[in-house]
Amino acid sequence: MSMSAGEGEGGHMLLPVTFTTRLADQESLHDLTVATPAVRSALQYVAAYLGGPPPTSPAEAGRAMAIVGGYGSGKTHLAIRIKETAAEVPGAESKILAIDASQRRFSYLYRNTILDMLGKADVRDLVTDYFSEVVASSLDEIQIFREVAAGLRERAIDPEKVVASLHLSGPALQADLKRRLRTEVEYAKFGRALALLATDEYADAVWEWLSGEPPGEELRALGVHDRISSDLDAYDALSVLTFLYSRKNRRVVLIIDEYEKLLGHPGEWNISAVNAFEQLIKVFISVGGLLVFCGMPESLSKLPQSVHQRIGVARLDPFTPEETLDLLRRRRRPGQPDISLEIAGYIRSLSGGLPRMSLTLYRRAADLAEEERSGAITPAIVRSAVRRHYERAGLDYVGGTIRRLIEAGGWDFHADVMLGENTTVDFWITRGEGGAGVAVLITRSLLRAEDVDTLRGQIEAVRVATPSAEVIVVVNGYVSATLQGEVSHLIGRQPLVFDESRFGGDFRAVMHNAVRRLDRSERGYTLESLSRNLERLSLQQSATQSMLEALSGSVGSLHSSIAAPQAGHDEDTAAERLLPPRVAEHFERALVAVSTLGGIDAELRAAFADPGTAGTRLRRRLASRELFEAVGVAVLLRKLVETFRSRVADYIQNVQLASGHRPVVSRTQEEELRLICRTYEATAEALPLLRLESLALTAPTAGQSGPVELATRSRRRSEAVGALSGLSQRVFDTVTAALRG
């Protein structure tokens, strides 16, 4: 994983990184690899699969493995070692494709990188193997040509020369090859095109088509019409070629670094891209390939649970002091002083166990030790090296930058404010009428506990002077990984490391956040006293009344909650009639669960039936902000499920009309359904389902705490979770099963 100059890691400002690798690097990392448990497990997994016997069933055909870890944790290093291991497995004929996902479009990587790695000659030889099988099969029944057939199967004889010399029917054999490839790869357009790749006449045109170019007139005349242009097309093409390799006992190993770039931007993942990548994983496993993809830990959460169950995961934990010592000794240059476990442990405490950062800190310290001819690397040498290389800007320069940012933001501020006898606040931004404000403290690198103690004294002085003050700490240098959490606890946010390339945006964001917190606090203080008095009076008034309502409310609310959902479903019966019974059942369960939790419907009806008691009770509960949020979640979730149901009904109707009600579902139609289901799933994930627990408590029994009432709440919660969790996958499975008969 590469990092540009100045890019931070764990909040640190970095110089241009020395110890970065790319999958395309040719240098062997065998002797530079620390055999951590995760590394050993991953390499054994790959070697055992590639060196083992051919799979006996599709269920065990291929493998997929995710390598996850933070920046600088060694993901790319392990990926390169996997590439090397795959090439070293004895007797394994593997086609190894290693790509850096520098582009966000897989179709670009396929056209410009993957096909070059596969090679036109190799792919054509692969298809020619199939053509040799076809020609050999046509000669099996003729005794005098059995030796020729054997030579064809051994690839000792050119199949086209046999066709020409024996005057065999070329078109008939091509048709046979086309049928075989179409059967093998399940994609008609690839079967037609690949059959032509075996011929000299069309090989160049087919390769251009495989490279994403539009098919020429000669190919269109032979039935090749569609262009390979989208990411899904590229995934399909690679899956087809991987399958053809596997049928010839050659396994394709695809390694993708920074794969999350193919899924879109974090926080706004592209649903179609996620679907396509999910399909690649499933197809690669089913056709006998090995897929290894590297990324950040949070990226795995974007893949559906069905994929998680089929992949192995190598999680790269921070190095221990012993592993750090092993790493540094492997990288030690001739003539440099040896390093002790104590120093390795100290460097590890600064880097947080990240190997890349440990190497960078060690190299800085080793260079300084050589320069000063100290003869050994000590903690003091390490700290001096860190300060030299990370405190590149002076404190005055940092202060001037912050002043300009504050002035540009229009904040009212004072500089160098004295608090007590010994504490100076670099900047104080005034906010509000009560003297509240934001204190900005500038400090050098935080490398030792003593550094944090000094900073703690400044923060405590600010808190004594103004308890409600917000504090921003700006570090001109480096923050030790072991101290970063302590500083964050003191100020309630991460310290800002001064990195000029991005400091302006980071400071403005933190400043706006601090001001918003102050504003909320000030408004809250103004209303707090009145709110407490009103709440106390309301509780006194309602306590006795709630006790009298408890018994009579329980039975009526349970009856209303059960009856209410049916009234809300009448308008949706038209959509339900288009759904197969088992599909409709999934939606019915989901809607009943949401409506049952939405006990507010029953209370609204009760308020009109009994404006006195029930109306008073309802108005009291409507004062709860949590109730409004929970009701909103329930309404949105209900509308989402209804829209999902309607869209599935339209889909089923369109498929039936297109196929004349025959149980035939094309791949394109299946992908359309998958996209519908994933859209529901992604939208539902954005709704805070846990808010429905609050909504369940608004039912008329909410004021009670007896065993019956508690059991009722638990039942409602379990019904909702059971009906809503995994709904999209159940609908997808049931619909496809119903359409296929």
Side-chain angles (χ1 to χ4, degrees):
M1 310 280 283
S2 69
M3 191 178 300
S4 59
E7 183 172 352
E9 180 176 89
H12 308 137
M13 182 185 75
L14 298 184
L15 299 175
V17 177
T18 303
F19 299 97
T20 56
T21 52
R22 304 299 297 176
L23 282 178
D25 293 349
Q26 299 299 315
E27 179 188 4
S28 173
L29 299 180
H30 185 278
D31 295 332
L32 302 176
T33 301
V34 178
T36 66
V39 169
R40 286 195 301 270
S41 176
L43 296 182
Q44 289 169 1
Y45 178 90
V46 172
Y49 170 62
L50 294 177
T56 57
S57 70
E60 58 183 30
R63 299 289 187 274
M65 178 171 62
I67 302 174
V68 296
Y71 290 117
S73 60
K75 297 185 296 296
T76 303
H77 186 107
L78 178 53
I80 292 175
R81 284 294 297 123
I82 288 175
K83 181 176 70 170
E84 294 173 350
T85 300
E88 295 166 357
V89 174
E93 290 191 60
S94 303
K95 191 70 175 179
I96 303 171
L97 310 174
I99 59 174
D100 299 298
S102 55
Q103 297 288 331
R104 297 192 182 275
R105 294 296 304 274
F106 185 79
S107 54
Y108 178 91
L109 294 173
Y110 164 79
R111 292 192 304 268
N112 296 279
T113 304
I114 293 176
L115 278 184
D116 287 342
M117 292 180 175
L118 289 172
K120 175 183 174 182
D122 199 18
V123 174
R124 190 180 180 196
D125 284 346
L126 185 67
V127 176
T128 303
D129 283 348
Y130 278 86
F131 190 41
S132 295
E133 287 282 352
V134 170
V135 178
S137 297
S138 70
L139 300 177
D140 280 339
E141 300 302 322
I142 306 174
Q143 181 69 31
I144 61 174
F145 292 138
R146 287 186 177 175
E147 290 187 9
V148 177
L152 286 166
R153 290 192 170 95
E154 294 171 2
R155 289 305 310 278
I157 303 175
D158 186 337
E160 287 204 76
K161 291 181 179 179
V162 172
V163 172
S165 61
L166 296 181
H167 304 288
L168 301 177
S169 173
L173 292 172
Q174 275 289 320
D176 191 9
L177 174 62
K178 190 184 303 181
R179 283 192 297 272
R180 176 173 295 201
L181 288 173
R182 288 180 60 180
T183 301
E184 297 280 15
V185 303
E186 297 183 351
Y187 303 110
K189 66 179 179 182
F190 289 107
R192 287 190 292 268
L194 290 173
L196 298 171
L197 188 63
T199 67
D200 292 332
E201 183 180 359
Y202 297 108
D204 291 339
V206 172
W207 188 253
E208 288 182 358
W209 175 79
L210 281 173
S211 302
E213 296 298 326
E217 293 183 6
E218 67 276 21
L219 292 185
R220 289 198 299 270
L222 294 169
V224 180
H225 301 287
D226 299 328
R227 182 182 182 183
I228 300 175
S229 57
S230 69
D231 290 342
L232 186 58
D233 291 337
Y235 283 126
D236 286 344
L238 179 59
S239 299
V240 166
L241 296 174
T242 300
F243 180 73
L244 294 181
Y245 274 100
S246 70
R247 293 302 297 268
K248 294 299 178 183
N249 294 323
R250 297 178 65 189
R251 290 165 170 166
V252 174
V253 179
L254 175 61
I255 305 172
I256 305 176
D257 198 8
E258 298 183 295
Y259 86 99
E260 64 265 41
K261 289 184 178 180
L262 302 176
L263 308 183
H265 296 277
E268 49 184 69
W269 302 98
N270 185 297
I271 294 176
S272 297
V274 173
N275 282 338
F277 193 79
E278 174 191 356
Q279 188 65 16
L280 176 70
I281 294 174
K282 292 180 177 179
V283 171
F284 237 77
I285 292 174
S286 67
V287 302
L290 172 61
L291 175 63
V292 178
F293 52 100
C294 311
M296 302 295 286
E298 59 269 19
S299 64
L300 276 186
S301 65
K302 299 306 173 184
L303 300 178
Q305 287 300 316
S306 59
V307 170
H308 286 230
Q309 297 166 4
R310 305 186 68 181
I311 64 175
V313 180
R315 292 183 172 85
L316 302 184
D317 297 324
F319 276 21
T320 65
E322 292 76 15
E323 290 166 347
T324 303
L325 177 62
D326 186 7
L327 171 72
L328 301 184
R329 283 180 170 171
R330 289 173 183 271
R331 290 280 190 171
R332 187 167 64 95
R333 294 196 300 256
Q336 286 186 326
D338 195 11
I339 185 168
S340 66
L341 179 60
E342 176 192 2
I343 295 301
Y346 182 63
I347 290 176
R348 189 249 180 220
S349 71
L350 294 177
S351 68
L354 293 175
R356 182 195 297 162
M357 181 54 66
S358 295
L359 284 168
T360 300
L361 297 181
Y362 165 70
R363 180 58 57 84
R364 305 301 186 199
D367 289 345
L368 183 59
E370 284 187 309
E371 181 182 322
E372 296 186 352
R373 299 182 180 180
S374 63
I377 299 175
T378 64
I381 287 286
V382 174
R383 288 192 294 271
S384 295
V386 169
R387 291 194 175 100
R388 171 193 278 192
H389 289 281
Y390 290 95
E391 296 179 8
R392 309 198 81 189
L395 291 176
D396 290 341
Y397 183 84
V398 175
T401 301
I402 294 174
R403 175 187 290 271
R404 287 190 293 273
L405 290 170
I406 294 174
E407 290 173 345
W411 309 112
D412 181 17
F413 74 98
H414 301 277
D416 300 326
V417 177
M418 290 294 300
L419 296 179
E421 296 182 358
N422 301 315
T423 301
T424 301
V425 174
D426 295 284
F427 294 96
W428 179 267
I429 294 89
T430 304
R431 190 73 179 176
E433 301 296 331
V438 180
V440 179
L441 303 176
I442 305 173
T443 181
R444 295 181 65 194
S445 296
L446 300 175
L447 305 177
R448 300 177 300 171
E450 293 87 340
D451 300 331
V452 177
D453 289 341
T454 301
L455 181 63
R456 181 185 290 107
Q458 293 178 283
I459 295 170
E460 289 175 353
V462 171
R463 301 290 191 211
V464 169
T466 310
S468 61
E470 292 286 323
V471 179
I472 298 174
V473 171
V474 177
V475 180
N476 177 33
Y478 188 94
V479 182
S480 168
T482 56
L483 300 177
Q484 191 161 11
E486 187 175 350
V487 177
S488 300
H489 178 73
L490 287 174
I491 62 176
R493 59 172 53 87
Q494 293 285 335
L496 276 178
V497 175
F498 184 79
D499 174 1
E500 194 165 14
S501 64
R502 63 185 188 193
F503 180 75
D506 291 347
F507 182 83
R508 282 189 290 268
V510 172
M511 187 66 198
H512 282 293
N513 178 265
V515 168
R516 282 197 302 269
R517 288 171 60 171
L518 279 177
D519 290 346
R520 285 198 300 268
S521 176
E522 185 176 350
R523 287 195 298 269
Y525 179 81
T526 303
L527 298 174
E528 184 177 1
S529 178
L530 178 60
S531 176
R532 281 200 303 266
N533 288 331
L534 289 175
E535 183 178 2
R536 179 172 54 81
L537 291 173
S538 175
L539 289 173
Q540 288 175 342
Q541 180 182 3
S542 63
T544 303
Q545 186 175 3
S546 295
M547 292 176 60
L548 295 174
E549 293 170 353
L551 183 60
S552 61
S554 298
V555 176
S557 68
L558 288 174
H559 174 76
S560 300
S561 297
I562 295 172
Q566 185 58 44
H569 293 337
D570 293 342
E571 63 193 55
D572 301 315
T573 54
E576 281 188 314
R577 282 196 294 268
L578 297 174
L579 298 173
R582 289 193 61 193
V583 179
E585 181 182 343
H586 291 314
F587 286 111
E588 182 65 22
R589 284 188 61 228
L591 289 169
V592 166
V594 177
S595 297
T596 300
L597 283 174
I600 193 68
D601 296 347
E603 291 208 53
L604 289 170
R605 288 193 295 273
F608 282 94
D610 181 9
T613 302
T616 300
R617 181 176 61 201
L618 175 63
R619 288 188 291 274
R620 187 170 64 247
R621 289 185 180 159
L622 288 178
S624 167
R625 184 186 67 182
E626 288 76 12
L627 173 62
F628 279 99
E629 293 180 2
V631 170
V633 171
V635 171
L636 287 173
L637 188 55
R638 178 187 177 91
K639 295 302 295 182
L640 177 61
V641 173
E642 289 173 347
T643 304
F644 182 27
R645 180 179 63 179
S646 175
R647 185 67 184 87
V648 170
D650 292 341
Y651 166 81
I652 292 174
Q653 186 178 37
N654 292 337
V655 171
Q656 290 174 339
L657 290 175
S659 61
H661 296 273
R662 289 179 288 111
V664 176
V665 181
S666 68
R667 174 173 175 75
T668 301
Q669 291 169 332
E670 183 176 314
E671 287 304 317
E672 180 185 357
L673 176 61
R674 191 183 303 277
L675 181 59
I676 293 171
C677 294
R678 182 59 58 78
T679 301
Y680 164 78
E681 182 180 342
T683 308
E685 286 179 355
L687 295 176
L689 184 60
L690 291 177
R691 283 295 188 188
L692 292 181
E693 180 69 21
S694 302
L695 187 55
L697 298 179
T698 67
T701 59
Q704 308 168 26
S705 57
V708 174
E709 291 77 16
L710 291 175
T712 300
R713 296 179 204 170
S714 177
R715 175 181 60 80
R716 286 187 178 129
R717 178 65 180 159
S718 62
E719 284 178 354
V721 172
L724 296 171
S725 297
L727 175 63
S728 62
Q729 188 63 47
R730 290 196 300 274
V731 168
F732 178 84
D733 294 340
T734 309
V735 170
T736 52
L739 291 175
R740 288 171 176 167

